[in-house]
Amino acid sequence: MISLSLIRKSDLWYSFTRSRSAMVAAIVLAMLILTAIFAPLIAPQNPYDPAQLDMWKSELPPIWDQLGEWPYVLGTDTQGRDMLSAILYGTRISVVIGIASVALSLLVGLSLGLVAGYFGGVVDNLLMRFGDVLLSIPTILIAILVSTVVRQMLPPELRDVGSSAVLVLAITLSGWVQYARTVRAQTIVERSKEYVQAARLLRVPARRIMVRHILPNTLTPIMVAATLNFGMAILTEATLSFLGIGMPPGQPSLGTLIRIGNQFLFSGLWWIVLFPVLQLCLLVVSVNLLGDWLRDALNPKLR
Amino acid sequence: MTALTVTHLSRTFDVSASWLNRVVERKPRQFLQAVNDISFTVPLGGCLSLVGESGCGKSTVARLVTGLYPPTKGDLRFAPGKKGDALSAQMIFQDPYASLNPRWRVKNIIAEPLRELKLRDTKAEVTERVEELLRIVGLSPTDGAKFPHEFSGGQRQRISIARALASEPEFLVCDEPTSALDVSVQAQILNLMRRLQDELGLTYLFISHDLSVVRHMSNRIAVMYLGRIVEEADTETLFADPKHPYTKLLLQTIPDIANPHRDREVAAGEVPSPLNPPKGCTFHPRCPMAMACCSIEIPQMREIGGTRVACHAV
Ligand SMILES: Nc1ncnc2c1ncn2[C@@H]1O[C@H](COP(=O)(O)OP(=O)(O)OP(=O)(O)O)[C@@H](O)[C@H]1O
Ligand code: SF4
Ligand SMILES: [Mg+2]
């Protein structure tokens, strides 16, 4: 276990305390994620529960407007749904999908990258060319394809339940390639180092050499990529939901909220679209700032 | 008694460009003969040294002997060890920085052979053995908790030696274990290795580009040039009566402490590329005694009074 004092003594922590943008980004991100996780406890309303929606309170503007009403701090939508609650719950969905798709891409990418880099030859060629093909198709296109195909295969009553899983799958399908490439390149470097040869002399099985010797030495660039990809995954999810092939209106993610709000942009109900957009920006920008800092902090040439 | 017999060992590397590049640029396949038809024996409990300039194939021989590379041609045979089955070779590597996993604590690095080969049963026994090994190589048992980057090059080589000893080998291949170290540290490591050889009855295949390092380690020396052994003799014979012109040249380039300003013949010319070795005797472009036949015919290995040498002029 890494103890707290070890973290405080590390170079990474030092660089963190020196970078104002990283600290601000970390605080903002922590707040966004915490409020999203504890949304059921702090949100004034459960936006999924039709019984809690009040048609008389629909289309209320934010609280600072003369017509605003407590507790609808950020106003309500056309069905009387509290925007703040919808945003907190929506962030929860976006963050969960982001984390799940990064985790799945990592699992697939790290394993395939290690195998391709360690064994080389035909396995390497097949895996990497397959990755090249996937990368040459735009992520959104793959995601659209996967989500339409998979959704058609699911029975109608499962379509809503399965849509988050479909999104994770779609984002993973193009997401793993980057990790696989990074790990493969690093594995090829590490494989020829003498500590790996020493392990091979002891007849350590290939799987254990890959996991216990090589993998830990490839994690630095992977951490950076994973952070930046977490932001990308949230954006991809939002785009898909905005296009109507992501999360359904019954379980709105930030992208779904923006799609719904977009319809009312010109009828003067600006708050229905603006606040979800702001939340999405805040989330992605803070993740990216953190990722940029991490990349610089872990790059020995920039120290 | 011989510990290892190597006969007509060769290793070729395929260094061709990728298939697409070859087709586009109309280049043929290219092969590099790193080790070319070498034979030698290592006496049990003794030390044979391989000496030669950088790129002559020493590390490739080491990797062939330990089984990291399969030979292209030829054969190597270990004698049965104490337990009856063939001797197992362990290796000490050239680069003390790349040979230890930077993410592992030293105690885990040294414990790996114990765990992999199941040489100790309980955790306590493993810990005890690791501490003992650290003490044997002149480090403190508390060093086990540190990471490799906290050690100097010499200390890292001690850790490498401890790891090699952990698997209880009877045969050690030492690939330039001191070439990356300061001269003062070199002597300490060499003394440690000699002590261990005496105490544990190890057999060494010792590799170096430096004849003066090898002199104090080995019973027998084989001189390599571009993948071939050109001369092999007992240590004292080789120093007293070198026969091959290349051996003579190597001996001349050893710094002379008693007479540092003596005139030295400059080693004529560069080492040719092993990709495109000279015809006949590969040494002929640099050889002061070269004759007409040297650039045509490969000299065969001959035995002259205990020395094996491959040269037309001897
Ligand atoms: N895996 C490999 N693939 C292709 N070529 C190789 C490989 N290993 C070694 N070579 C080539 O074989 C030749 C001999 O290399 P080797 O490492 O055995 O030399 P060396 O005598 O150990 O040199 P040094 O003193 O620099 O360590 C070199 O020309 C090298 O480029
Ligand atoms: S064979 Fe000829 S070129 Fe080669 S070392 Fe002997 S004399 Fe020199
Ligand atoms: Mg070498």
Side-chain angles (χ1 to χ4, degrees):
Chain A
M1 276 305 288
I2 309 166
S3 70
L4 211 64
S5 72
L6 238 155
I7 293 180
R8 281 225 223 93
K9 264 191 266 168
S10 72
D11 294 351
L12 206 60
W13 177 258
Y14 179 79
S15 137
F16 181 70
T17 57
R18 296 272 128 169
S19 163
R20 192 169 300 166
S21 69
M23 294 217 311
V24 172
I27 292 170
V28 170
L29 188 62
M31 263 166 44
L32 291 179
I33 290 184
L34 283 179
T35 50
I37 290 174
F38 294 111
L41 298 180
I42 50 180
Q45 191 188 63
N46 178 357
Y48 304 148
D49 183 2
Q52 290 191 22
L53 303 187
D54 184 351
M55 275 314 276
W56 294 110
K57 302 290 185 199
S58 66
E59 300 186 20
L60 288 176
I63 191 87
W64 54 85
D65 193 286
Q66 280 177 345
L67 298 173
E69 251 180 65
W70 185 260
Y72 308 105
V73 180
L74 299 181
T76 58
D77 69 3
T78 50
Q79 284 155 45
R81 203 183 333 225
D82 174 40
M83 283 316 293
L84 178 63
S85 309
I87 288 173
L88 290 179
Y89 276 81
T91 310
R92 196 148 87 126
I93 294 179
S94 296
V95 166
V96 165
I97 291 180
I99 291 177
S101 52
V102 167
L104 193 64
S105 317
L106 272 175
L107 188 72
V108 176
L110 294 190
S111 331
L112 295 187
L114 270 175
V115 168
Y118 190 77
F119 292 108
V122 184
V123 188
D124 182 19
N125 266 321
L126 283 180
L127 285 176
M128 287 299 123
R129 292 304 84 77
F130 177 55
D132 288 346
V133 170
L134 283 182
L135 268 198
S136 67
I137 311 170
T139 309
I140 293 290
L141 222 56
I142 296 185
I144 290 175
L145 210 69
V146 171
S147 51
T148 5
V149 169
V150 176
R151 201 155 306 168
Q152 288 311 312
M153 295 187 329
L154 284 176
E157 66 274 15
L158 274 182
R159 275 182 201 163
D160 273 11
V161 187
S163 47
S164 48
V166 171
L167 276 173
V168 170
L169 194 74
I171 298 172
T172 300
L173 206 58
S174 48
W176 67 271
V177 186
Q178 194 194 348
Y179 301 116
R181 285 184 165 184
T182 317
V183 170
R184 173 185 170 271
Q186 194 68 27
T187 302
I188 290 174
V189 173
E190 298 295 325
R191 182 189 59 180
S192 63
K193 286 201 182 152
E194 294 169 340
Y195 73 86
V196 173
Q197 299 182 352
R200 279 175 51 202
L201 274 184
L202 293 170
R203 311 261 180 307
V204 181
R207 199 170 54 91
R208 205 155 355 152
I209 292 186
M210 288 190 272
V211 175
R212 300 202 42 211
H213 280 285
I214 297 180
L215 186 62
N217 286 298
T218 63
L219 287 184
T220 307
I222 289 300
M223 261 160 60
V224 177
T227 313
L228 292 172
N229 276 7
F230 176 53
M232 277 308 297
I234 289 175
L235 272 186
T236 309
E237 184 278 325
T239 312
L240 289 173
S241 297
F242 180 79
L243 294 175
I245 41 177
M247 296 306 290
Q251 290 169 283
S253 70
L254 287 176
T256 321
L257 289 178
I258 295 170
R259 174 166 65 97
I260 299 170
N262 195 34
Q263 300 161 4
F264 304 107
L265 190 56
F266 295 108
S267 30
L269 307 176
W270 52 269
W271 57 90
I272 302 184
V273 66
L274 184 70
F275 294 122
V277 168
L278 282 181
Q279 174 84 346
L280 182 65
C281 288
L282 214 54
L283 191 60
V284 174
V285 166
S286 57
V287 169
N288 282 354
L289 280 179
L290 217 53
D292 284 341
W293 160 76
L294 199 60
R295 187 182 52 207
D296 294 348
L298 293 176
N299 185 346
K301 287 187 198 123
L302 286 182
R303 280 223 197 107
Chain B
M1 274 285 277
T2 54
L4 169 68
T5 314
V6 171
T7 37
H8 303 296
L9 192 68
S10 296
R11 170 72 203 199
T12 320
F13 291 111
D14 184 350
V15 290
S16 319
S18 72
W19 176 80
L20 194 65
N21 287 9
R22 284 208 310 275
V23 171
V24 172
E25 295 169 26
R26 291 169 195 282
K27 278 193 192 147
R29 295 191 79 98
Q30 258 196 323
F31 296 97
L32 186 151
Q33 183 105 38
V35 172
N36 196 345
D37 191 19
I38 67 171
S39 305
F40 59 84
T41 58
V42 185
L44 193 67
C47 174
L48 173 84
S49 290
L50 284 178
V51 184
E53 282 162 303
S54 182
C56 70
K58 306 182 297 291
S59 296
T60 308
V61 173
R63 289 181 161 78
L64 287 167
V65 166
T66 49
L68 283 172
Y69 293 155
T72 312
K73 264 199 231 116
D75 187 41
L76 46 95
R77 195 160 289 140
F78 282 99
K82 284 177 199 142
K83 290 187 199 117
D85 37 0
L87 284 176
S88 70
Q90 280 298 319
M91 186 155 167
I92 296 168
F93 293 91
Q94 190 166 352
D95 182 352
Y97 293 89
S99 59
L100 304 175
N101 190 335
R103 305 263 165 179
W104 283 34
R105 284 180 202 280
V106 167
K107 59 180 174 198
N108 292 328
I109 293 177
I110 300 176
E112 190 179 29
L114 302 174
R115 298 198 179 112
E116 287 300 328
L117 305 174
K118 306 211 165 44
L119 296 173
R120 291 292 183 278
D121 298 326
T122 64
K123 264 191 177 167
E125 282 174 326
V126 170
T127 313
E128 193 186 332
R129 176 68 175 150
V130 168
E131 290 180 356
E132 185 186 350
L133 284 163
L134 280 168
R135 241 179 267 119
I136 289 176
V137 297
L139 293 169
S140 139
T142 53
D143 286 338
K146 296 184 188 162
F147 284 98
H149 69 83
E150 298 174 56
F151 294 90
S152 69
Q155 290 171 318
R156 282 163 181 250
Q157 241 13 353
R158 288 174 191 268
I159 298 168
S160 285
I161 295 172
R163 171 180 55 192
L165 293 180
S167 59
E168 292 168 18
E170 292 167 70
F171 193 104
L172 262 190
V173 178
C174 317
D175 185 5
E176 307 207 39
T178 60
S179 68
L181 308 178
D182 286 349
V183 181
S184 58
V185 184
Q186 279 189 13
Q188 293 171 12
I189 298 291
L190 292 175
N191 287 337
L192 170 68
M193 296 186 65
R194 283 201 55 171
R195 206 189 78 217
L196 292 172
Q197 184 177 26
D198 293 342
E199 286 172 7
L200 305 171
L202 299 171
T203 305
Y204 284 162
L205 174 63
F206 192 92
I207 291 172
S208 178
H209 61 267
D210 187 345
L211 268 173
S212 56
V213 164
V214 153
R215 184 170 199 167
H216 303 285
M217 290 297 301
S218 41
N219 312 101
R220 235 177 130 74
I221 297 178
V223 179
M224 279 186 77
Y225 188 76
L226 278 186
R228 289 173 189 274
I229 292 182
V230 293
E231 178 167 5
E232 190 200 327
D234 288 340
T235 306
E236 286 320 309
T237 320
L238 190 99
F239 276 87
D241 181 20
K243 295 212 160 46
H244 197 279
Y246 179 60
T247 313
K248 291 178 185 164
L249 184 122
L250 280 183
L251 282 171
Q252 274 169 4
T253 53
I254 294 181
D256 189 339
I257 297 170
N259 182 11
H261 297 296
R262 99 190 138 160
D263 280 346
R264 267 194 257 146
E265 251 178 83
V266 184
E270 294 270 302
V271 187
S273 155
L275 268 176
N276 188 14
K279 286 217 163 44
C281 172
T282 50
F283 188 55
H284 81 258
R286 298 170 73 189
C287 181
M289 295 164 71
M291 304 170 290
C293 63
C294 294
S295 51
I296 303 162
E297 206 181 317
I298 300 175
Q300 292 304 308
M301 196 61 122
R302 283 177 303 139
E303 186 139 3
I304 305 170
T307 300
R308 289 168 67 225
V309 60
C311 173
H312 292 305
V314 178

